[in-house]
Amino acid sequence: MSRAVEVPGREVASGTEVPEFRNFIDGEWRSSESGRTFRSVNPADTGDVVGTFQQSSAADAAAAIRAAETAHPAWRATPAPKRGEILYAFGALLAEHKERLARAMTREMGKVIAEARGDVQEAIDMAYYMAGEGRRLSGETVPSELFAKDCKSVRVPIGTFALITPWNFPTAIPAWKIFPCLISGNTAVFKPSSYTPIAAARLVEIITEAGLPPGVLNLVQGTGEEIGEYLATHPGIDGVSFTGSSAVGERLARLCSGIEKEISCEMGGKNPIIVMDDARLDLAIEGALWGGFGTSGQRCTAASRIIVHEKVYDRFVEMFTAMAKRLKIGSGLDPSVHMGPVINRAQMEKVLGYIEIGKKEGANLVHGGRALNYGLLAKGFFIEPTIFADVRPEMRIAQEEIFGPVVAILKAKDLKHAIEMANGVKYGLSSSIYTQDVNNTAIAERDLDAGIVYINAPTIGAEIQLPFGGTKRSGLGRKEAGGRGGSLDMFTKWKVIYRDFSGRLQKAQIDKE
Ligand code: UN1
């Protein structure tokens, strides 16, 4: 019999030991009005149920939007440095709970524990960075052409945001959105991926402990189909920040542009590493392994294409394959494991489908290609690290985002050819070149059409104090994260103020003499 026991706060432990988590609306942990729940399962061991969550309906989303709208006037009026103090407290609490959050993340979505710790660390960094913005949020003052008149532009909040986040960075990406959104004086409804609800619930628990007023941040769990679009297009929502697939992002952007809503989308990638003939091959291989197979290839920044100069091509393929064979696959909670499972069965099938496509297209499968379904691994969604060599640029495995541990190697005649291939896809998020030649680095820096260019480092590893986002179909609207052109531009709008204290009517452009 399932016995419901109230645990202080938000969780309800049942007799089956699977805790139930609620939505967080207007400062309260609430069950969905739908009365329905869904389960989150460990992708490394499908017998392990991580928790039960609210299958929210439009009514829950509407309640969350109402709460966020109601909380907005007081939150917007709160001095930004005070909002920053709350963010500092989040940062400290996140740091205190780092290990617990990281372990829950690995159990829920599979990335290896060292990477999960990095994911939480990225959220801590973002909390502190955005807390500091509370004392900056600077605008601009410029001189007036008239006497006794001043002019300035200031950042003002936009209103209430829908923050829709993916499962691959279940703490970091929500933090990229929640912290700049709140420091700017907006309120929010947070809709995380239904594949990582526990990471979201734990994050919100911690955030609420830091003393956020009710309604400022609301959490609604459920599927994109049921509440994602509803939230994004609701008239109470002033802006949408979305990270996920290009198909969903483009659809949301189309819907929102018709109703004049701010929307920014961070979407897919097909990120290249160029390896020149003068590159340190040992470094390039280490980088390609980390970029290609880190997070089982499930990053929008994953290095899914390696473009290698023909002079070092054979050696690269041989050494890279030899190193990939040594990767240990298993549960991410085992610290000796290099690569965990993919997120779920549908993703596993999609990745295996692309491997079949690669074979049919005539690419040379030099390593991997199979699901690992023996022993303990049979209980999860494990795929071998997979390498295709002799991939031609027009093949689907060189053009489409696979979001799994599959790397395509292409051969380049020279730097120009390499850059042409690098740019010859519909995406432009991240890119990289390994070379010891300063001129090659300058050319790559200038000509790679991507939001991020790495030199002698793989395509992953963006730091939060710079903007994050891509060109072409990788990004729409404003960029994420910090720095000039970063997410404060997503979460604020500029207001221009002219003040005339001359005591008479002065006419710009007209009072010239
Ligand atoms: C993503 O790829 O989905 O640059 C986000 C990185 C991380 C963020 C990645 N800091 O790899």
Side-chain angles (χ1 to χ4, degrees), residues 118 122 166 168-169 172-173 176 243 266-267 271 290 295 298-302 403 429-430 452 454 459-464 468:
E122 197 159 343
N168 67 334
F169 276 81
I173 293 182
W176 287 8
T243 300
E266 203 271 287
M267 303 178 290
N271 313 290
W290 174 227
T295 329
Q298 303 170 116
R299 293 192 186 216
C300 8
T301 52
F403 227 62
L429 182 55
S430 185
I452 308 171
Y454 288 93
T459 52
I460 68 179
E463 302 181 28
I464 61 96
F468 181 95

Side-chain angles (χ1 to χ4, degrees), residues 153-168:
S153 39
V154 296
R155 286 186 187 274
V156 294
I158 289 174
T160 294
F161 267 83
L163 308 177
I164 305 178
T165 60
W167 48 265
N168 67 334

Side-chain angles (χ1 to χ4, degrees), residues 322-334:
M323 293 296 284
K325 282 184 182 156
R326 296 188 5 209
L327 294 177
K328 183 171 170 190
I329 318 302
S331 159
L333 289 169
D334 173 348

Side-chain angles (χ1 to χ4, degrees), residues 142-144 146-152 497-506:
V142 288
S144 166
L146 297 167
F147 293 97
K149 186 178 178 191
D150 56 26
C151 326
K152 63 183 176 186
I497 296 154
Y498 298 101
R499 176 169 43 199
D500 191 321
F501 50 100
S502 68
R504 61 197 160 96
L505 174 65
Q506 300 192 90

Side-chain angles (χ1 to χ4, degrees), residues 290-354:
W290 174 227
F293 300 123
T295 329
S296 308
Q298 303 170 116
R299 293 192 186 216
C300 8
T301 52
S304 48
R305 294 183 295 152
I306 318 287
I307 302 173
V308 186
H309 193 287
E310 60 185 13
K311 282 197 192 141
V312 289
Y313 183 86
D314 290 341
R315 208 142 57 87
F316 180 90
V317 172
E318 189 189 318
M319 286 166 67
F320 181 56
T321 308
M323 293 296 284
K325 282 184 182 156
R326 296 188 5 209
L327 294 177
K328 183 171 170 190
I329 318 302
S331 159
L333 289 169
D334 173 348
S336 68
V337 159
H338 299 109
M339 196 180 91
V342 297
I343 185 74
N344 55 28
R345 184 170 305 283
Q347 189 61 21
M348 182 163 86
E349 279 162 10
K350 178 180 166 208
V351 174
L352 293 172
Y354 266 108

